[in-house]
Amino acid sequence: MTIAVVLALASSVGWGISDFLGGLRSRAFGLLPVLVVSQAAALVLLAGFVGLAGAVPPDAPHLLAAAAAGVSEAVGAAALYRGLALG
């Protein structure tokens, strides 16, 4: 198995587990706390990976695009978690 296949499978498992747990936890704790914790955890993990890779910080236009993408992802995750919480 190539590294690309292993990474794709790991990514699929990670997304599946996080979506399942996000919907389950938003039933118990509400949407906003689950969304804040999940987004904060993702930011910390991503910052750690970027730091370990030794990447240079992006310039302002790319950072703005990344921030807009992050906000869009948070809105999408909120809609998904809300839908999963409602059943």
Side-chain angles (χ1 to χ4, degrees):
M1 223 186 286
T2 67
I3 189 69
V5 173
V6 171
L7 290 174
L9 288 172
S11 176
S12 297
V13 168
W15 275 97
I17 290 172
S18 68
D19 287 347
F20 175 76
L21 291 177
L24 192 64
R25 290 292 158 205
S26 51
R27 285 183 186 172
F29 298 111
L31 176 63
L32 190 59
V34 172
L35 190 63
V36 168
V37 168
S38 69
Q39 296 301 302
L43 180 62
V44 168
L45 286 172
L46 183 61
F49 287 139
V50 169
L52 288 174
V56 297
D59 55 355
H62 290 104
L63 193 58
L64 184 61
V71 169
S72 298
E73 188 275 333
V75 169
L80 175 68
Y81 292 165
R82 179 71 177 150
L84 290 172
L86 292 175

